[in-house]
């Protein structure tokens, strides 16, 4: 899809606040600092779009972006902040579960993982949550430009092993620096639109 327009629509925490027009939705999730805003901006050819909604105190919200008046990108609240209370974690889980279980237009959840690291316990918990919600999921490995070729292959293999993925399961390596992965991600999303 060629992006001709992309704009922030709203922040939501409850089902009643989600858009109601039924357009196909693609959601993005990952631990804080994994490169989610940067990836969203890369996919949308915009610089500060995803960042602008990232105001303090809004970290628990689900942010909707209108793309071409045709689909929504959904920026799900990040996880893995060093200091979160148990109550905040429970709130986050409720917001996520509500969205994942009840969101009919949801076509795909893109789970971001840093290509350089093995998935953390929180990443695993997130993937289990996606699994329990039966949400269709695609793994994206971010910041691959930070890895040399040989290291990159071993890192991706380690991620695959840690997640117990089949050999043919798709992991899309991405870099906002080089633009790698952009075309493939759009191809996957276009196929589901
Ligand atoms: P978020 O918290 O998941 O939204 O993460 P950000 O998008 O804010 O990115 C966190 C940091 O990683 C920033 O300093 C980005 O510039 C950097 N970053 C994000 N994507 C890439 C990438 O593909 N390559 C490199 N080298 N750095 C990246």
């Amino acid at each position: 899809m060629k992006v001709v327009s992309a704009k922030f629509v709203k922040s939501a925490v409850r089902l009643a606040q989600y858009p109601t027009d039924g357009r196909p939705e693609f959601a993005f999730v990952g631990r804080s600092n994994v490169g989610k805003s940067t990836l969203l901006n890369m996919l949308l050819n915009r610089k500060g779009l995803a960042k602008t909604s990232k105001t303090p105190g809004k970290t628990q919200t689900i942010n909707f972006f209108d793309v071409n008046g045709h689909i929504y990108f959904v920026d799900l609240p990040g996880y893995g902040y060093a200091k979160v209370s148990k109550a905040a974690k429970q709130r986050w889980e409720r917001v996520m579960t509500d969205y994942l279980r009840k969101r009919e237009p949801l076509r795909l959840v893109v789970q971001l993982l840093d290509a350089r690291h093995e998935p953390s316990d929180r990443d695993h918990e997130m993937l289990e949550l996606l699994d329990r919600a039966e949400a269709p999921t695609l793994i994206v490995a971010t910041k691959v430009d930070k890895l040399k070729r040989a290291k990159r292959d071993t890192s991706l293999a380690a991620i695959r092993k840690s997640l117990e993925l089949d050999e043919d399961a798709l992991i899309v390596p991405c870099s906002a620096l080089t633009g790698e992965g952009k075309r493939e991600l759009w191809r996957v999303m276009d196929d589901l639109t």
Side-chain angles (χ1 to χ4, degrees):
M1 186 179 294
K2 184 176 179 315
V3 178
V4 290
S5 72
K7 56 179 192 287
F8 173 68
V9 183
K10 57 154 62 177
S11 293
V13 286
R14 285 189 303 280
L15 197 62
Q17 301 166 326
Y18 303 163
T20 53
D21 48 24
R23 291 182 204 159
E25 253 170 48
F26 298 92
F28 297 79
V29 70
R31 69 159 175 77
S32 57
N33 225 35
V34 71
K36 182 157 53 80
S37 324
T38 308
L39 183 89
L40 284 167
N41 289 331
M42 170 178 91
L43 290 168
L44 297 174
N45 305 321
R46 300 291 188 278
K47 277 210 170 88
L49 189 67
K51 228 31 175 195
T52 50
S53 64
K54 224 181 182 183
T55 45
K58 288 223 159 181
T59 49
Q60 300 277 336
T61 63
I62 296 181
N63 298 320
F64 290 86
F65 296 87
D66 171 316
V67 183
N68 291 351
H70 188 51
I71 61 173
Y72 288 111
F73 270 15
V74 183
D75 187 3
L76 294 173
Y79 56 85
Y81 297 95
K83 284 183 195 146
V84 285
S85 64
K86 201 173 169 191
K89 198 179 167 205
Q90 280 171 350
R91 199 163 53 239
W92 173 87
E93 207 165 308
R94 199 163 51 239
V95 169
M96 291 297 256
T97 309
D98 262 7
Y99 176 79
L100 294 170
R101 293 228 168 126
K102 297 178 187 159
R103 194 54 178 158
E104 196 273 327
L106 178 62
R107 296 287 200 278
L108 185 71
V109 179
V110 177
Q111 166 75 54
L112 280 68
L113 299 171
D114 190 316
R116 296 167 297 171
H117 310 298
E118 285 208 18
S120 67
D121 290 348
R122 294 303 314 280
D123 291 326
H124 279 282
E125 283 173 31
M126 182 66 230
L127 284 156
E128 277 159 28
L129 204 139
L130 290 170
D131 199 36
R132 280 200 301 278
E134 297 181 7
T137 303
L138 174 72
I139 307 284
V140 157
T142 62
K143 312 187 189 182
V144 281
D145 56 271
K146 293 195 178 212
L147 293 169
K148 294 215 173 68
R149 192 83 212 179
K151 179 78 178 106
R152 160 196 171 123
D153 289 345
T154 45
S155 280
L156 293 179
I159 290 175
R160 204 175 272 283
K161 187 162 179 235
S162 170
L163 302 181
E164 299 178 357
L165 293 180
D166 293 339
E167 245 171 62
D168 56 352
L170 187 60
I171 295 184
V172 182
C174 281
S175 163
L177 229 62
T178 66
E180 181 176 350
K182 181 177 176 181
R183 196 199 280 263
E184 186 166 13
L185 264 179
W186 269 118
R187 186 185 56 71
V188 171
M189 292 189 288
D190 285 340
D191 281 351
L192 293 168
T193 302

